[in-house]
Amino acid sequence: MSAVPGQARVVVIGGGAVGASCLYHLAKAGWTDCLLLEKNELTAGSTWHAAGNVPTFSSSWSIMNMQRYSAGLYRGLGTEADYPMNYHVTGSVRLGHSRERLQEFQRVVGMGRYQGMDLEILSLGDIRSRYPFVETHDLSGALFDPYDGDIDPAQLTQALAKAARALGARVERFCPVTGVRREGGEWVLSTPKGDVRCEIVVNAAGYYAKQVGAMFGRDLPMMVMSHQYMLFATIPEIEAHSAATGAKLPLLRDVDSSYYLRQEKNGFNLGPYEMNCKAHWVTKDDPFPEDFSFQLFPDDLERLEWYIADAMARVPLLEKAALTKVINGPIPYTPDGNPLIGPMPGVPNAFEACVFTFGICQAGGAGKVLAEWVTEGATEWDMWSCDPRRFTGWEDPDYCVKKGMEVYGHEYAMHFPHHVWPEGRGKKLSAVHDRTAALGAQFGPYNGWERALWYARKGDDVSEAAQRTWGREGPWFGAVKAECEAVRDACGILDLPGFSRFHITGPGAAAWLAAQITGKVPNVGRLGLAYFADDMGRIVTEMSVARLGEDDLLLITAATALSHDRDWLLRHLGEGLSLVDLTNEWSTQILTGPRARDVLAAVSDGDLTKGWLTHQAARIAGAEVMLMRVSFAGELGWEIHSRVGDTPAVWDAVLAAGAPLGLRPFGMFALNSLRVEKGYRAWKGDLSTDYTVLQGGLERFVDWTKPEFRGRAALAAEQQRGVTKRFCTLVIEAGEQDPPYMATIWHEGAVVGELTSGYYGHRVGACIGLGMLKAGVNVPGTAVEVEIFGVRHPAVVQADQPLWDPKNERIRA
Ligand SMILES: Cc1cc2nc3c(=O)[nH]c(=O)nc-3n(C[C@H](O)[C@H](O)[C@H](O)COP(=O)(O)OP(=O)(O)OC[C@H]3O[C@@H](n4cnc5c(N)ncnc54)[C@H](O)[C@@H]3O)c2cc1C
């Protein structure tokens, strides 16, 4: 047995398409002292048996970015690596069965155009000109993606490995990593061929990622599904068509029936994502195997019968073909179906690029993203959708299995803005959950915490089916309007369990924070919004800061940001400072509206004359609470922070006091409506690393008098150059749908920006868009258009101030 290289700067564990792409992109970035360790032969995991489809289509902006990049990379890779590459760019026809599906396609066409791709909507008549063998009588249209294609996954992996080797990186096969330990600031990886020391490790172990993660003390949120495709023998008509046209048929995806059908040689490859799907390796009698290299599960055609029949009805030629082979292999899933790419939470110098469900079409982009994380500590595109820190550690195996199966069975489903997927619910309940449920709360999960989205009134349709619409109006609409009006005219209360909160103390804590954030640290007794920028001046996160004492800081942030923000703070924490995570000990209610002071006066001993952006300790119903005078709803209001055990008593007291004053509970849909009217940004929608602090229109949170803070140099340079695009507020004549994320803004026939939020503001009675607009066009009063599901709607650029209560008089009342 030859010895393994004893040292490398980076070790990538796993030699599938993704691991090979990580190695290639690291080497390409100049980090050539990298070593890939593969337990078997390259491709032995999921890669060898993958069908190799390479779509660019995605309804997620960041995933589309990754897939678009992959397709571009694969086009040139064969030549670059001097390796034979079967990559067929056949295009694809994605069939739509409903108006909603066509709207989804229209949205993706818009996103694709913004990314430089020309996807095309096909009318019923056009479909057969692209795909002559398909039945169209029951369809509503289709999408043609000219960039779609298929690649040989093994060749892709070998070509990436070869190109990486040519740049100086190394690959060691038949070399499993069996253990890891930390020694003197380095990782030491044990293998049967000897130890390897390295600075940085990447877990690219595919469906083995949980086992590899466990070596680092990390419990990965994932599970493994069985996924099949079937190969059919030659069909003379297909053979004749290819001979006549000199091309393969485009890939056909019947997304509403949930399968793809691809020409394979002169026959077909049929791959369903079946509802009656099967998870593997989740029960004691089906243990995870030590080694499954190049193995498959037994065929399980029974699960696929409905899909075969449906495909035969859609493309009757299929009936003529003999089934020749079934491939049934393991495919890993996270609870949301997106992979894990980025820093390994809580583990130094360790990264993840694993749990890929579409690892062939995403490998190229994933390698780029991973290499940027490793070499630069940040990525070009905001990649929150794939960031391992979007999971925060509570996702138990039961949850992972249920969500994985749900995602698999709905792989091609539409993701409607008001729809909540039913699996994996009820995992984290507020202390007053039963009370809000009794009041009609319709819940949705936020980092697992069930929060009221809206409160159903008697007779409101609360079915899941009613949520499946792109339309603004659904059963919630009237209720949300009433909730917003209560907040405007009287008072509302929103139960918000799960806010992330970090208590930072120690000598110099305030000075340390000042160097981390762009703005000022609030004075003792006061609150402030703090923006954290990266070295490029881009928006990493936003937290509320309550200064409890000179060097005593409470940082509060979104529930979903728990791991991300804790990781960021710990990574940069000053020496001698302590960070205590109080997230699970406290809960929050927002009490807001013109009568909020009267409600609070009836139950608390706090000094309610204290101004906006102050905090104080007080008592409600005998419990110690913290009152913070802020309101994300943009009205007079306080956040009431109470210990979880005290929360029910506090809730009861406030509700009882508020009842005669018109207090009513409100939910997250209303909060979204209220906050867009105030131009308040939402994290990872409006606030992301896709934008700098200056682009985000957050100058008032930049304290240029500070000699140093992270991102200062980049922001100063940007300011000198001139900010090319900037945050904007639009009022849109939007019709029936509010604009989705990344809806494009048009001016004089060209795209000049994009929306990061779009929602209806009930107080101002208009659809409001928050987004980014080219500097020259971002002039109040300018008429622009917003493309919403393929239709351009008139909109007007607003002044750089909130639409509701621009002078903040109501908040300061
Ligand atoms: C039937 C089927 C069809 C599919 N079709 C497509 C498709 O058309 N398009 C698409 O994009 N995706 C498809 N997929 C998914 C795709 O196969 C995977 O997403 C992709 O192969 C994942 O690549 P990877 O490199 O992340 O993981 P893998 O290919 O699983 O590679 C992980 C590697 O890590 C190695 N390893 C594990 N543990 C260790 C250790 N301790 N030490 C060293 N090495 C280790 C393994 O041996 C393995 O080679 C399909 C999957 C299936 C099952």
Side-chain angles (χ1 to χ4, degrees), residues 14 16 18 38-39 46-47 49 51-53 177 227 356 358-361:
V18 174
E38 163 54 48
K39 74 191 281 177
S46 288
T47 296
H49 57 63
N53 301 328
V177 173
H227 178 47
F356 280 79
F358 295 101
I360 306 306
C361 66

Side-chain angles (χ1 to χ4, degrees), residues 13-19 37-54 175-178 204-208 212 215 227-229 260 262 293 327-332 353-362:
I13 304 175
V18 174
L37 298 178
E38 163 54 48
K39 74 191 281 177
N40 195 283
E41 181 56 88
L42 293 181
T43 76
S46 288
T47 296
W48 72 277
H49 57 63
N53 301 328
V54 183
C175 189
V177 173
T178 53
Y207 58 79
Y208 299 88
V212 169
M215 297 179 195
H227 178 47
Q228 307 181 77
Y229 60 83
Y260 66 83
R262 187 179 98 194
S293 300
I327 300 286
N328 184 2
I331 187 165
C354 48
V355 201
F356 280 79
T357 297
F358 295 101
I360 306 306
C361 66
Q362 293 170 0

